Amino acid sequence: MGTPSLSSGVHVGGLNTGWLWMSSCTLSFPVLPVSFLFLLLVASGTWAAGYETCPTVKPGMLNVHLLPHTHDDVGWLKTVDQYYYGRRKEIQHGSVRDILNSAISSLLEYRTRRFIYVEMAFFSRWWKEQTKATQDSVRDLVRQGRLEFVNGGWVMNDEAATHYGAIVDQMTLGLRFLQDTFGSDGRPRVAWHIDPFGHSREQASLFAQMGFDGFFLGRIDYQDKIFREEKLKMEEVWRASASLKPPTADLFTGVLPNNYNPPKNLCWDMLCADPPLVDDPISPDFNADMLVADFLKLASSQAQCYRTNHIVMTMGSDFHYENANRWFKNMDKLIRLVNKQQAKGSRVNVLYSTPTCYLWELNKANLTWSVKEDDFFPYADGPHMFWTGYFSSRPALKRYERLSYNFLQVCNQLEALAGPAATVEPYGSGDSAPLKEAVAVLQHHDAVTGTSRQNVADDYARQLAAGWRPCQVLVSNALARLSNYKQNFSFCRELNISICPVSQQSGHFQVTVYNPLGRKVSQMVRLPVTEGVFIVKDPEGQTVPSNVVLIPSSYSKMYERELLFSASVPALGFSIYSVTKMSGRKSQTHSLRARPRKPTSQVLSIENEYIRATFDSGTGLLKTIENMEQNLSLPVSQGFFWYNASTGNEESNQASGAYIFRPNQLEPLPVSRWAQIHVVKTALVQEVHQNFSAWCYQVVRLYPGQRHLELEWTVGPIPVQDGWGKEIISRFHTPMKTEGQFYTDSNGREILKRRRDYRPTWRLNQTERAAGNYYPVNTRIYMTDGHMQLTVLTDRSQGGSSFQDGSLELMVHRRLLADDERGVEEVLIEAGGGEKVRGHHLVLLSSVRDAAARHRLLAEKEVLAPQLVLAQGGSTPYYSQAALKPQFSGLLQDLPPQVHLLTLARWAPKMVLLRLEHQFAVGEDSGQNLSSPVTLNLQNLFRAFTITHLQETTLAANQPLSKASRLKWRTETGPVSNPAPSKLDPTSVTLQPMEIRTFLASVQWPAPS
Ligand SMILES: [Zn+2]
């Protein structure tokens, strides 16, 4: 702060040119002297912990913050292990272990050097390999701010194909490692998503709630970037929630100047071709003067697009710093030579810095910032180059990730409900950590996105499978502990294709249905069986209605038998049903009402007490959906279509690929104009089976009591022998007047309005009518005419859009014969796994008034579906004298419909992590008033344990809420109030719409009984 400041509004640039670097950009607001502002900020109590280690800057000059960094993908062209150990260098030269070794040595060499690190999946592994002496040195570096963690998640997660619950989990895992290892010295202040392919609003909201002070991005749409550079909006405050009261979800967000790469000619990694800086004037290779002059020019021009007298340059890229010395030696020289120019009047000061220290200078500038309220989707890096294909790439992996998230929550909950016994007995040691880590790895921006190479995608699936196993042991231990009975548990992981050895081979078996939601559910259980008569008994021993239905297999010409019964399961608990095959009795299988046939003229419909779906007798396609409860009827035709994937044309050589969606023409072609149909009608289910082609099949289904229509599709292998890549969509067409608008969710939480060929913050020059209107759909897409709403829920992330009023489409699968030239260098064929995919869409037709109540509660049940665990034969008591408990609830009472139990997981030997969430947005539900705040008594909530102490934390649980404080930013929308958190009263915890509250609870589990 010692250098005198210039007078208000004046910035100085390099080369004695004064206003040169401001020439084409105007400052919106006068800049006050920085030293004066700092005094003001300190006086007003702005919190600065973590910033005190930042380097000194020169307030009167243009300060160029060099950010030495490496971008280490947690799997992409190579597997996670290959990147860590540096194997398979012929594929890509990446060795994270060597990067960390080398960067740390270079930091220890000179005190001024700084380095940042991001991915805890790698760092935690490296840390465990170090000696105590190295760990101590690294702790010193962290304390001094020279090694700084940014983001600090397990991975740098994708933002389009990820569910918010999984984002919160993966951030919690990484930040916890940092907190446990380095305490608050290691707590990141800045979020750093330099490579994800577009940015969701929910991500910014979550980061804000985790306590981050700022967020830096690499990739935004090329048109948006030009606009922002011109309007000096590269840095803004992102108001990332329409429900949470500002500044709760406000996050200062900066777009980096060059994605995340070094400036031209200044790439000094061993992977770069740029020559080193030669400062020996007698050397024939002397280039220092030229590089310094170029640098000063570059700094001046870059500064024209940013508002303060601070700019950043990202000095690093993918897997850089394996030979850190090369980078640092050259930057040492650059800094010395550039700053030497100050003696000759240069007003440019260059320094080693970090994103956090740069952010701190921006905050101290105390400007008034513009506010952003939309998101950064879709992302295009040039005309015709929309990164909207990856919303749907590798649909089988996307489903496996979602299913694994579901099972992880079941595993976490049962570990918390059963207590310490769950990890040790009676089936051996169970562990939730491997699945936590595997699901976290899947959130990486080349994993769930489907943008890795095939062998890496296979390895991601392997990691998930390896994570499931110890969780299955844990779940078995917990179920035995909570039910008092040991059973021969079996997890049928292929129920989606009607395979389950226990139900298919045993004459007597138990089905434990576990419900991870905070309120009771009914679930139709479907199990593959062989021919016979079955008696199903509920937890009280009463026989419940059951059917065996004979259904055509979508996999072969065979027919399959499935046993159906409806299970009722209490909140956060289980019900055990027993199934016995009666010997010597002939089967009363409910077979098909109709043989395979072309549709005839008879009216075809399925219905229950709430819904009727009618099918066109000529085509076999869905024709009308009626909501009989609300007296709504909507003509809906639904079918499958395919886009012919571009391999490049005269307009652009851009092909459709793993990242990019680019069809040859806007209008997709039908897979078939009609479907061969079968009808199945029993007391427990009504189904229309539609066979569109040899590789496209669908079952439209209704169970009693269900207010939605279920469409279970099976697509693949997509034929590509004709040489055409194909992208398959399911399209719903209605006469609804939707005025170019539709709605998609953001990471499964808040909803954003979309408008065709439109961006809220700049004038769009649309170059791809299809791809440029695609948006990520994590859980739902809908449209409305103001009177009724048609909502389609998905079981995984998919791309979706609406190209005509009244129409919605979701991309379910894609198979492509060209690479899209974003580095993967592989076609998306998925040979040997992932070619054939089954999934479902849940369709809700309702009045606008109660649409939110329907889709919020249905989406919650979809993401946290009940888990089935089967057991062959009988059972034995866990404890002698103990009576079987065939039904259990971990709660004393059901949660109200507004409240979602987002997390219940064991945190420490006697602690659990608890997250409660209000799952409705402000004003969303007018019918039942579900958008109103709700208050809970946490002392009187759990049956499974007693809470003895409760502490509220930030969203990722790495800071007590009472100690958390974020930097404050002035915005053009005016001041916001920052009320201090009120004292926590566990008997009265109120949740506002869309609020998530996170607690660490000390608990006591009861002794076994
Ligand atoms: Zn990356």
mmCIF file of all heavy atoms in Angstrom, residues 71 73 195 445-446, ligand 1:
data_model
loop_
_atom_site.group_PDB
_atom_site.id
_atom_site.type_symbol
_atom_site.label_atom_id
_atom_site.label_comp_id
_atom_site.label_asym_id
_atom_site.label_seq_id
_atom_site.Cartn_x
_atom_site.Cartn_y
_atom_site.Cartn_z
ATOM 1 N N HIS A 71 -3.480 -28.246 -15.453
ATOM 2 C CA HIS A 71 -4.855 -28.758 -15.547
ATOM 3 C C HIS A 71 -4.786 -30.271 -15.703
ATOM 4 O O HIS A 71 -4.392 -30.775 -16.745
ATOM 5 C CB HIS A 71 -5.590 -28.122 -16.724
ATOM 6 C CG HIS A 71 -6.967 -28.675 -16.883
ATOM 7 N ND1 HIS A 71 -7.951 -28.498 -15.933
ATOM 8 C CD2 HIS A 71 -7.535 -29.447 -17.852
ATOM 9 C CE1 HIS A 71 -9.048 -29.123 -16.318
ATOM 10 N NE2 HIS A 71 -8.827 -29.702 -17.466
ATOM 11 N N ASP A 73 -6.674 -33.583 -15.826
ATOM 12 C CA ASP A 73 -7.954 -34.282 -15.978
ATOM 13 C C ASP A 73 -7.942 -35.603 -15.214
ATOM 14 O O ASP A 73 -7.015 -36.400 -15.363
ATOM 15 C CB ASP A 73 -8.209 -34.576 -17.460
ATOM 16 C CG ASP A 73 -8.544 -33.312 -18.221
ATOM 17 O OD1 ASP A 73 -9.421 -32.566 -17.753
ATOM 18 O OD2 ASP A 73 -7.927 -33.069 -19.273
ATOM 19 N N ASP A 195 -12.112 -25.599 -17.482
ATOM 20 C CA ASP A 195 -12.287 -26.435 -18.673
ATOM 21 C C ASP A 195 -13.711 -26.915 -18.925
ATOM 22 O O ASP A 195 -14.034 -27.249 -20.064
ATOM 23 C CB ASP A 195 -11.332 -27.646 -18.591
ATOM 24 C CG ASP A 195 -11.156 -28.329 -19.940
ATOM 25 O OD1 ASP A 195 -11.388 -27.666 -20.973
ATOM 26 O OD2 ASP A 195 -10.789 -29.515 -19.974
ATOM 27 N N HIS A 445 -15.184 -33.620 -15.652
ATOM 28 C CA HIS A 445 -15.752 -33.095 -16.900
ATOM 29 C C HIS A 445 -15.392 -33.899 -18.152
ATOM 30 O O HIS A 445 -15.741 -33.464 -19.251
ATOM 31 C CB HIS A 445 -15.407 -31.618 -17.062
ATOM 32 C CG HIS A 445 -13.942 -31.324 -17.056
ATOM 33 N ND1 HIS A 445 -13.268 -31.012 -15.897
ATOM 34 C CD2 HIS A 445 -13.028 -31.313 -18.029
ATOM 35 C CE1 HIS A 445 -11.992 -30.808 -16.183
ATOM 36 N NE2 HIS A 445 -11.819 -30.981 -17.471
ATOM 37 N N ASP A 446 -14.721 -35.028 -17.999
ATOM 38 C CA ASP A 446 -14.608 -35.955 -19.128
ATOM 39 C C ASP A 446 -15.186 -37.322 -18.791
ATOM 40 O O ASP A 446 -15.061 -38.255 -19.578
ATOM 41 C CB ASP A 446 -13.137 -36.130 -19.543
ATOM 42 C CG ASP A 446 -12.578 -34.849 -20.130
ATOM 43 O OD1 ASP A 446 -13.168 -34.338 -21.094
ATOM 44 O OD2 ASP A 446 -11.579 -34.342 -19.595
HETATM 45 ZN ZN ZN B 1 -10.120 -30.892 -18.585
#
